[in-house]
Amino acid sequence: MKKAIIAIAAAVMSFSLSAKVIPGPLISDNMVLQQNTDARIYGKADPGSKITVTPSWNNKTYTTHTDRAGQWSVAVETPAGGYTPYSITISDGEPVTFNNVLIGEVWLASGQSNMEMPLKGFPGCCTEGGYDEIASSRAYSDKVRFITVPRTQSYEPVDTIDASWTVPSPETAPQYSAAAWHYATRIADVLDIPVGIVSAAYGGAKVESWMPRDLLIKYPDVSLDPKDIDATVSYHRPMLMYNAMFNPIDNYTYKGIIWYQGCSNVATYNTYAERLAAMVKNWRDNIGLGDIPFYAVEIAPYQYGDPAEKGRAPFLREAQWEAIKMIPNSDMITINDLVKPFERYNIHPGDKTGAGHRLADLALNKTYGKKQFLAGSPKYKSHRFIDGAAWVAIDSPNDGICRNYDIKGFELAGPDKVFHPADSVWLHWQTNEMVVSSKKVPDPVAVRYGFRDFLPGTLYGGNYLPLIPFRSDDWDTPTD
């Protein structure tokens, strides 16, 4: 952490030697500004200074003055997105110009390691097709831009980061978030405008890691005593990622947020929904653009081994969906199917293409009005028991059920509450119900689908969107 702080200080000092105006941490060459809006350009200078900002797309000069702390901000009108590179000149009498600025769509990508996981992969955890994307990344040099916030922590809020926007190339792309890359390229291809990704993710972070002190103090199970925080495993520490990684970037103008996190909260699933909703509200309040879209990823199947976590992942997934109900203008994708059998003990599944594309399709449908990109997985609607079988009604909003053979993921339990895999699953076309039975459960009282730590399913609706894991019971005992 000390090295990161020294690096940040050195970067700021280096800039200060060449200009008195210090831009905000996301204001740099190669940045993407949100189209058709009043984008914030901001930074620091001497208190009482007159600041002018002049963008080349309209050559208007926007003027403001720094406050007593030397802070300044102006709202700059942006045009429709396109591939023309622009420049922005900021001056307090000594001008500094930022070049190769694009106008398009800007998204904040955050969470823990599955959002952080780069195209080059992690040691021992490969990103499927990652190096193919790296090799061809230059094709998106005029369509996609990335800035990756370094993994840092701070006990107090900071307002700068040691990073700048980059242009995709085989030299820069290996470090890009794989899920966010596939999200960005799909959005850029469909909308035919540039996409900027601000990636701020920290492997192992809990939802509490991304929350500020004034929210965390109301939770009796969260200690903010530095001694207790220091004693916590580094990537689970509360508040510190918020201070070091979100606080410096909350003044930028975003279209929305994509989020992949939850694995580290499996043991505390019962508090997750309320806290994620509180976090999103806080982020939106600080960003100051209203209820911008928030799109999340349901955690993938993984066989947890810690006794405090074992068998609790399906309850965390339920909590994720409960949070979505609590968060305005939000939704989530299911990736229950995007794992391989050999990834049972790999918490970083390699298929980030599917995750990124499903997130993108969700945004294209709900945010950008491209209804041809299907969004909304099939989900449980109701059930009934007839002659030793569960008849499960599925609410499939997109083109019904697209698989009627070799369906896996269903389980049944009788009065003993012991679940057994279904050995017969078939689709009753007339009622759109799945008929589920097991020879080991002659008198079923409960049915589940994908409701274990690791139980990938094979039932799909339109556009191969998978059925959301569910349970018909309210039993609290973990099954794994």
Side-chain angles (χ1 to χ4, degrees), residues 155-238:
Y155 279 94
E156 299 297 331
V158 299
D159 57 8
T160 189
I161 59 171
D162 185 19
S164 58
W165 289 89
T166 62
V167 177
S169 72
E171 291 68 42
T172 59
Q175 301 294 341
Y176 292 167
S177 159
W181 169 260
H182 289 291
Y183 178 85
T185 54
R186 194 171 184 93
I187 297 286
D189 285 344
V190 173
L191 299 184
D192 195 23
I193 54 174
V195 173
I197 295 292
V198 179
S199 178
Y202 197 114
K206 303 182 76 171
V207 69
E208 293 86 354
S209 306
W210 295 106
M211 300 175 73
R213 178 182 295 274
D214 60 352
L215 284 182
L216 293 171
I217 57 175
K218 71 178 184 178
Y219 301 133
D221 61 306
V222 179
S223 173
L224 298 179
D225 185 321
K227 293 181 180 179
D228 293 332
I229 294 178
D230 285 344
T232 303
V233 62
S234 62
Y235 45 82
H236 283 176
R237 291 171 177 165

Side-chain angles (χ1 to χ4, degrees), residues 37-361:
T37 191
D38 292 326
R40 290 188 289 252
I41 306 295
Y42 56 97
K44 293 181 177 180
D46 292 336
S49 299
K50 177 183 177 180
I51 306 296
T52 61
V53 177
T54 307
S56 66
W57 57 82
N58 61 13
N59 290 313
K60 291 182 180 180
T61 296
Y62 300 81
T63 303
T64 189
H65 289 79
T66 58
D67 61 18
R68 292 181 179 180
Q71 304 281 351
W72 60 269
S73 178
V74 295
V76 174
E77 184 180 0
T78 57
Y83 302 113
T84 301
Y86 295 107
S87 64
I88 297 178
T89 298
I90 304 171
S91 179
D92 68 345
E94 296 183 24
V96 58
T97 299
F98 299 99
N99 296 303
N100 202 23
V101 176
L102 295 180
I103 309 298
E105 294 293 289
V106 182
W107 286 80
L108 171 58
S110 190
Q112 58 182 112
S113 55
N114 274 299
M115 183 62 84
E116 180 188 5
M117 188 173 180
L119 287 171
K120 70 173 185 177
F122 288 139
C125 301
C126 303
T127 300
E128 187 175 331
Y131 279 93
D132 291 334
E133 295 296 319
I134 291 167
S136 60
S137 59
R138 205 182 306 276
Y140 285 92
S141 61
D142 63 341
K143 294 182 178 182
V144 172
R145 301 289 167 80
F146 259 76
I147 182 168
T148 300
V149 179
R151 291 199 336 169
T152 51
Q153 300 182 9
S154 175
Y155 279 94
E156 299 297 331
V158 299
D159 57 8
T160 189
I161 59 171
D162 185 19
S164 58
W165 289 89
T166 62
V167 177
S169 72
E171 291 68 42
T172 59
Q175 301 294 341
Y176 292 167
S177 159
W181 169 260
H182 289 291
Y183 178 85
T185 54
R186 194 171 184 93
I187 297 286
D189 285 344
V190 173
L191 299 184
D192 195 23
I193 54 174
V195 173
I197 295 292
V198 179
S199 178
Y202 197 114
K206 303 182 76 171
V207 69
E208 293 86 354
S209 306
W210 295 106
M211 300 175 73
R213 178 182 295 274
D214 60 352
L215 284 182
L216 293 171
I217 57 175
K218 71 178 184 178
Y219 301 133
D221 61 306
V222 179
S223 173
L224 298 179
D225 185 321
K227 293 181 180 179
D228 293 332
I229 294 178
D230 285 344
T232 303
V233 62
S234 62
Y235 45 82
H236 283 176
R237 291 171 177 165
M239 184 179 69
L240 303 193
M241 292 70 157
Y242 177 92
N243 286 340
M245 298 177 66
F246 175 73
N247 193 75
I249 64 173
D250 66 358
N251 204 31
Y252 208 64
T253 302
Y254 301 99
K255 183 67 173 185
I257 302 165
I258 54 174
W259 175 260
Y260 192 162
Q261 188 276 336
C263 302
S264 291
N265 284 92
V266 163
T268 54
Y269 66 87
N270 56 323
T271 63
Y272 186 80
E274 185 277 331
R275 294 184 187 183
L276 180 61
M279 187 212 81
V280 174
K281 183 180 186 305
N282 174 267
W283 281 28
R284 285 171 168 172
D285 288 347
N286 284 310
I287 292 171
L289 297 171
D291 290 338
I292 58 176
F294 178 84
Y295 298 136
V297 182
E298 183 185 81
I299 61 170
Y302 169 72
Q303 191 66 60
Y304 291 84
D306 188 311
E309 299 174 329
K310 189 175 177 63
R312 289 169 172 80
F315 297 100
L316 189 280
R317 296 184 191 106
E318 280 189 329
Q320 288 183 293
W321 284 105
E322 187 61 32
I324 293 302
K325 295 176 184 177
M326 299 165 65
I327 301 169
N329 196 19
S330 71
D331 210 332
M332 187 161 66
I333 63 165
T334 292
I335 57 168
N336 175 266
D337 60 320
L338 297 185
V339 294
K340 310 293 192 302
F342 65 83
E343 292 179 316
R344 174 182 288 270
Y345 299 103
N346 180 0
I347 204 166
H348 306 117
D351 186 354
K352 293 296 184 284
T353 306
H357 285 176
R358 286 178 187 175
L359 278 171
D361 289 352

